[in-house]
Amino acid sequence: MTAATLMVQGTTSDAGKSLLVTALGRALARRGIAVAPFKSQNMALNSAVTPEGGEMGRAQAVQAAACRVVPHTDMNPVLLKPCSDRGAQVILDGRPLSMSDAAAYHRLKPTLLERVVAAHGRLVRRHRVVLVEGAGSPAEINLRQGDIANMGFAEAVDCPVILVADIDRGGVFAHLVGTLALLSPTERARVAGFVINRFRGDKALLDPGLDWLQRETGKPVLGVLPYLQGLYLEAEDALPGTLPPAPRGGQGEGEPLQVVVPALPRISNHTDLDPLRLHPRVRVTFAAPGRPLPPADLIVLPGSKAVRADLDWLRQQGFDRAILRHLRYGGRVMGICGGFQMLGQWVHDPDGVEGAPGSTPGLGLLEVETTLAPGKQLRQVRGQLADGARVEGYEIHAGVTRGPGLQRPAVTLEGQGPDGAVSEDGAILGTYVHGVFDRAGAARSLLAWAGLGDAAGGRDLERDREDGFEQLADAVEAHLDMARILALLGLEAPAASPPPPESGRSHLGRHRA
């Protein structure tokens, strides 16, 4: 049977492209259709590590879990990880290619188009359907030349496009009609229909506008998705907003543990903190610049794509002094990946991996120092904390950390030995393991170390994620014209099958980065 490709583009960033690909992926997987996600170019600091040790965008790893397939770098052949306001690291087919500014990257695009089309072709050979997510908006006419992320890719592989718009932000009809007006005739012709996302209220009040839109454009409205509450899906890049509410402690359980996370300018993989943000007895605050660091029981320094620059930022904000004061009053401090490197004595970058070559003093809280190097550590890991609690996650970092502090490791990894460091007084902990809070036992252990006497009651994030996939699939089945969407894919419309048994669940945590 011939494979089919369908692309989802948006009138704006955050219009619902990723959500719609995720939802359709699970809906098709429930029908027994072999489906895979794809995004030719993704710009994000939240990434994932595949079982083969390649790096890809986290959103596509989440979509792979929704499609019930193992994530692969072919699903996101180009990943851009910003290191400054003007430059980014280019990850190609899962491996670092270069550091590029906007002009250099623009010159690289013709070569990249060949590579992304090749990656898409490999997915097509392995799956019945490939669902493609665009980037930003196809109406960004200043980026039209050499485009590999939106219509440039759609034209290269000759696939139909669904255009999604977010009604919650207002101006939805202007967004849709204006986007069409800025497309070329051939691009406009391949738009197969519209989806309106995040609708609240009585749809009957929207119907006259939908009728006008269809008459004005000649394009069908394929459906209106409601504003869905309570979904847990990891953020693609930006600092998180609202997560589904967790039942809050009471009944004499005491005050919640206060966790403060400096909102580093180049923060990466902040999804490490999701298990804490969803815990009913934990409050997580991302500390913004220009304000004092809030009172805390635990301060977590997260991952960073530019460790030395973010160290300078911490000092500019006075957060370094606040961390020392926090420790004097008995608080705990933890660093993950780049945050672990910041806790050491020095961060050296002789080759200019993350910026200008040089060295920057760390916070001096652990007896280690780090030398950045061009090669990246990319691997999934398993191990245990000192108390035996199981840890499962991934490493994704540049550089090697050395020093006597490593003789007191935070984690012991299977087949790899000690990782991270703990201070002599036990108040400071650093690790390279992303996802260190994901397993309930490890989260309980670390939260108890931070001062939460009984840390039971955390959320099962894998179950929350699976429930979110099912809720999304139910929504598209109920609110979209699935028969027409299946026809775009050359498929008939068999009834959706029930979810598979528990053993069929995909464990995204094992493919995360």
Side-chain angles (χ1 to χ4, degrees), residues 343-365:
L343 293 174
Q345 307 290 330
W346 287 92
V347 178
H348 308 289
D349 190 0
D351 298 315
V353 172
E354 292 185 351
S359 296
T360 298
L363 298 178
L365 301 177

Side-chain angles (χ1 to χ4, degrees), residues 52 56 62 102 282 312 352 469:
E52 296 78 20
M56 64 185 289
V62 171
V282 176
D312 290 341
F469 294 154

Side-chain angles (χ1 to χ4, degrees), residues 194 209-222 484:
F194 307 124
L210 303 183
D211 294 339
W212 174 89
L213 181 64
Q214 294 181 124
R215 289 194 307 270
E216 183 72 17
T217 65
K219 308 285 186 183
V221 175
L222 299 173
R484 184 170 277 178

Side-chain angles (χ1 to χ4, degrees), residues 5-6 120 151-161 186 190:
T5 295
L6 176 64
H120 169 263
M151 284 299 180
F153 176 80
E155 300 246 281
V157 302
D158 191 23
C159 69
V161 171
T186 58
R190 69 177 60 255

Side-chain angles (χ1 to χ4, degrees), residues 166-457:
D166 177 7
I167 196 171
D168 194 54
R169 64 177 69 194
V172 69
F173 298 111
H175 285 166
L176 289 166
V177 175
T179 298
L180 280 185
L182 290 171
L183 301 180
S184 72
T186 58
E187 293 168 347
R188 197 175 305 126
R190 69 177 60 255
V191 175
F194 307 124
V195 170
I196 293 177
N197 188 31
R198 296 192 183 107
F199 178 71
R200 310 174 194 243
D202 184 354
K203 183 177 172 291
L205 299 176
L206 184 63
D207 284 340
L210 303 183
D211 294 339
W212 174 89
L213 181 64
Q214 294 181 124
R215 289 194 307 270
E216 183 72 17
T217 65
K219 308 285 186 183
V221 175
L222 299 173
V224 178
L225 287 173
Y227 196 107
L228 298 174
Q229 303 284 352
L231 283 175
Y232 169 63
L233 295 174
E234 288 113 320
E236 182 171 16
D237 190 28
L239 278 177
T242 302
L243 280 176
R248 290 302 171 187
Q251 306 166 352
E253 290 180 341
E255 292 297 315
L257 189 83
Q258 300 293 337
V259 178
V260 170
V261 184
L264 305 174
R266 294 294 171 230
I267 189 171
S268 65
N269 293 84
H270 55 68
T271 47
D272 288 337
L273 283 303
D274 282 1
L276 304 189
R277 297 176 61 227
L278 286 162
H279 197 288
R281 298 187 58 209
V282 176
R283 296 289 190 276
V284 176
T285 302
F286 285 88
R291 299 179 182 179
L293 206 63
D297 301 297
L298 171 64
I299 295 174
V300 179
L301 299 182
S304 167
K305 191 64 191 71
V307 176
R308 293 173 58 219
D310 280 347
L311 264 171
D312 290 341
W313 179 86
L314 282 175
R315 291 189 167 98
Q316 291 164 7
Q317 303 303 318
F319 288 173
D320 57 332
R321 298 187 298 275
I323 291 170
L324 293 176
R325 184 168 58 251
H326 165 81
L327 286 167
R328 286 198 300 272
Y329 282 91
R332 295 286 192 263
V333 173
M334 181 176 180
I336 302 174
C337 196
F340 168 41
Q341 295 174 346
M342 293 179 192
L343 293 174
Q345 307 290 330
W346 287 92
V347 178
H348 308 289
D349 190 0
D351 298 315
V353 172
E354 292 185 351
S359 296
T360 298
L363 298 178
L365 301 177
L366 291 174
E367 293 180 277
V368 298
E369 59 182 60
T370 299
T371 301
L372 303 180
K376 267 190 180 182
Q377 295 286 343
L378 293 165
R379 57 193 177 193
Q380 296 177 6
V381 297
R382 298 180 184 179
Q384 61 184 37
L385 299 173
D387 64 358
R390 298 293 299 168
V391 170
E392 194 169 309
Y394 57 91
E395 289 185 25
I396 178 169
H397 62 89
V400 177
T401 299
R402 298 183 175 89
L406 300 180
Q407 296 174 13
R408 296 178 296 276
V411 184
T412 301
L413 300 176
E414 293 178 5
Q416 295 168 44
D419 164 84
V422 179
S423 62
E424 288 189 17
D425 63 1
I428 304 156
L429 183 152
T431 178
Y432 272 121
V433 179
H434 291 288
V436 70
F437 291 109
D438 282 7
R439 290 184 68 96
R444 281 196 297 270
S445 175
L446 291 168
L447 290 173
W449 164 77
L452 189 61
D454 179 7

